[in-house]
Amino acid sequence: MSRTLMQRLFEPRSIHEIAPGTGVIVYSALFLWTAFVLFPIYWVFITSFKTPVDVNSGPVYLPFIDFWPSLHAWQDLFVFDYKDTLRAYMNSLIIALFSTAGSVLIGSMAAYALARFEYRPKFGVIVMFILVMGVAFYTVGSFGVDWRLASASGIAVFVFLVMSLSRHFKLQLSNGDILFWVISQRILAPIVVVVPIYLMFQQVNLLDTHIAIILTYTVINLPIVVWLMYDFFRSIPFDLEESAQLDGASRLWIFWDIVLPLSRSGLAATTLLVMILAWNEYLLALFLSTSQAQTMPILVAAMNAGERGILWWTMSAVIIVMIIPVIVLAVVLQRFIAKGLLLGAVKG
C-alpha cells in the first residue's frame, strides 16, 4: 500500500509531466528561494515609504497595517534634492552604458582573435616594453616631463630596441598565457592600482570627468569580456567561417554577421554582467570623481555620513530608483539568453 502511494507521488505518468510529490518539493524549494531573494528588495521598498519614527521604532512589515505609508522620502529625493539625484543618475547611465559598450566591443574582438589565431609574442619584447614605458612614466612623475613627449619618446625607443634585439629572444608565449594574463588583471584588486590611476588622470587634467571613469571602467571590465566570450567563440564551428571565406567574405564581415549573431546568448549575458559591475562600482568612482561626475553609489554612500545620521528612508528610495535600469536591461536581454540556451540544447 505504501509502495503504491509512493509510486503515485513520485513516479510521473509520462515523460512530459512531473510527479506530484516531486513537484511539491521542487516548487516549495523555488518558493523559499524566491522569498529569500526578494525579501531584501521588499524591505527596501517599504522602508522608502516609512517615516523616521517608523524606521526607528522597530521592524514593521505591512503598509496600512503596521504603519501608515508616507511619501516624505520621495519628496526629499525628487523635490528638494532632485538636482543632485538627477546629475548622479545621468552620470551613472552615461558612464555605465558607454563603458559597457566599449568593454563588450573591444573585449569581443580580442576574444575572437584569441579563439581563431595563434599568437607567439616573445617574452623579452614584453619585458622590454614594460621597462621602457616604466622609465617614461618615471620621468613624467619625477622630472615633470610632458607626458605626451615622454610617451612618444618611449614608443620610439621601444620600436628601435625591438628592431635591434627581438631576434635574440627565444622564449615565446602562447594564447593560453595571454588568456591567463588577461584574467589576472581582473583578479588584481582595484585598490592596488587606484592611486596610480588617480595620479595619471591628474597629470592630464581629466579628474572628475566622464571620459576618465569610462576609460577606467572599460579597462577594468575588459578581462571578464575576453574570458567569457572566448569560450562562446570557441564553441562556434570553424567550418561556417571557412565557407564564408570561400565566398569572398572578409574577416570583419564574418565576425559581425556570422560569429556575433551565433553567440548572442553569450553576448547578452556578458553585457548584463559588465553593466551590473559598472553600475555598482564604488571604489574607482570615489577616487576619480568629486561632484560633476559623481555616480549613484557615491550618492547612496553619502547618505551614511550626514550630521542627522543614516537616512534609511531616503537611502531606500534612492536604491529603488538605482536598480530600475539594471532590471530593465535584464528583462530586455533575457529573451536573447533564453534563445541561446534553447539553441544550444537543440544543437547538442
Side-chain angles (χ1 to χ4, degrees):
M1 184 71 177
S2 60
R3 183 174 180 179
T4 304
L5 180 61
M6 294 296 292
Q7 289 178 345
R8 291 180 179 179
L9 289 177
F10 293 100
E11 289 187 5
R13 298 178 180 178
S14 67
I15 60 174
H16 303 290
E17 298 180 1
I18 187 172
T22 306
V24 171
I25 296 174
V26 170
Y27 287 113
S28 298
L30 290 176
F31 175 79
L32 292 175
W33 178 251
T34 302
F36 177 78
V37 172
L38 294 181
F39 181 76
I41 299 178
Y42 170 76
W43 181 263
V44 171
F45 180 76
I46 64 171
T47 302
S48 67
F49 294 97
K50 293 180 180 179
T51 62
V53 175
D54 293 327
V55 173
N56 297 322
S57 61
V60 288
Y61 307 98
L62 302 177
F64 302 103
I65 298 178
D66 292 337
F67 70 96
W68 193 261
S70 172
L71 294 176
H72 81 284
W74 296 92
Q75 184 180 16
D76 293 341
L77 185 63
F78 290 108
V79 177
F80 300 108
D81 299 327
Y82 77 95
K83 291 184 179 180
D84 295 336
T85 305
L86 181 61
R87 181 171 64 248
Y89 203 79
M90 293 305 299
N91 288 339
S92 290
L93 282 176
I94 294 171
I95 292 169
L97 289 176
F98 278 93
S99 64
T100 300
S103 296
V104 172
L105 176 63
I106 300 173
S108 297
M109 297 177 71
Y112 176 73
L114 289 172
R116 290 294 184 259
F117 303 102
E118 189 66 29
Y119 293 95
R120 294 292 181 183
K122 295 184 177 181
F123 182 73
V125 173
I126 297 175
V127 174
M128 189 166 52
F129 175 78
I130 296 174
L131 293 176
V132 170
M133 297 311 297
V135 172
F137 295 152
Y138 177 77
T139 58
V140 173
S142 300
F143 303 103
V145 178
D146 185 83
W147 67 271
R148 292 178 289 267
L149 177 60
S151 300
S153 302
I155 293 174
V157 172
F158 170 71
V159 172
F160 174 76
L161 292 176
V162 168
M163 296 176 62
S164 304
L165 304 175
S166 62
R167 63 180 180 273
H168 299 292
F169 299 134
K170 302 301 181 181
L171 181 60
Q172 293 181 334
L173 303 180
S174 63
N175 285 21
D177 299 319
I178 297 174
L179 278 173
F180 178 77
W181 176 81
V182 167
I183 197 62
S184 69
Q185 305 307 303
R186 186 61 192 180
I187 297 174
L188 180 68
I191 190 64
V192 178
V193 296
V194 68
V195 174
I197 292 175
Y198 174 86
L199 295 176
M200 179 181 65
F201 284 118
Q202 185 183 49
Q203 289 289 329
V204 296
N205 297 320
L206 287 178
L207 286 178
D208 199 23
T209 61
H210 289 159
I211 186 65
I213 305 179
I214 290 173
L215 289 175
T216 305
Y217 284 11
T218 301
V219 173
I220 290 295
N221 291 323
L222 264 178
I224 296 178
V225 179
V226 175
W227 190 264
L228 294 178
M229 294 306 300
Y230 174 81
D231 289 333
F232 284 101
F233 292 148
R234 291 278 293 180
S235 65
I236 297 176
F238 190 64
D239 297 341
L240 297 175
E241 300 177 36
E242 289 182 338
S243 300
Q245 284 182 325
L246 292 176
D247 293 336
S250 64
R251 179 64 67 177
L252 186 60
W253 185 90
I254 293 173
F255 175 73
W256 284 107
D257 289 358
I258 296 178
V259 176
L260 283 185
L262 290 176
S263 57
R264 66 178 63 182
S265 62
L267 194 64
T270 303
T271 300
L272 180 60
L273 175 61
V274 173
M275 177 69 180
I276 293 173
L277 292 174
W279 186 261
N280 294 324
E281 177 60 44
Y282 173 76
L283 178 65
L284 295 172
L286 178 64
F287 276 82
L288 299 179
S289 66
T290 53
S291 58
Q292 297 303 317
Q294 187 182 72
T295 57
M296 289 297 290
I298 306 300
L299 181 65
V300 174
M303 297 179 181
N304 194 19
E307 296 180 355
R308 295 180 295 173
I310 303 176
L311 306 178
W312 295 110
W313 41 93
T314 308
M315 186 184 299
S316 299
V318 175
I319 292 173
I320 292 297
V321 175
M322 182 178 172
I323 64 178
I324 291 176
V326 178
I327 295 176
V328 172
L329 184 63
V331 172
V332 172
L333 296 180
Q334 181 182 9
R335 63 189 185 95
F336 295 104
I337 299 175
K339 286 182 179 179
L341 294 175
L342 293 175
L343 180 63
V346 173
K347 177 182 175 183

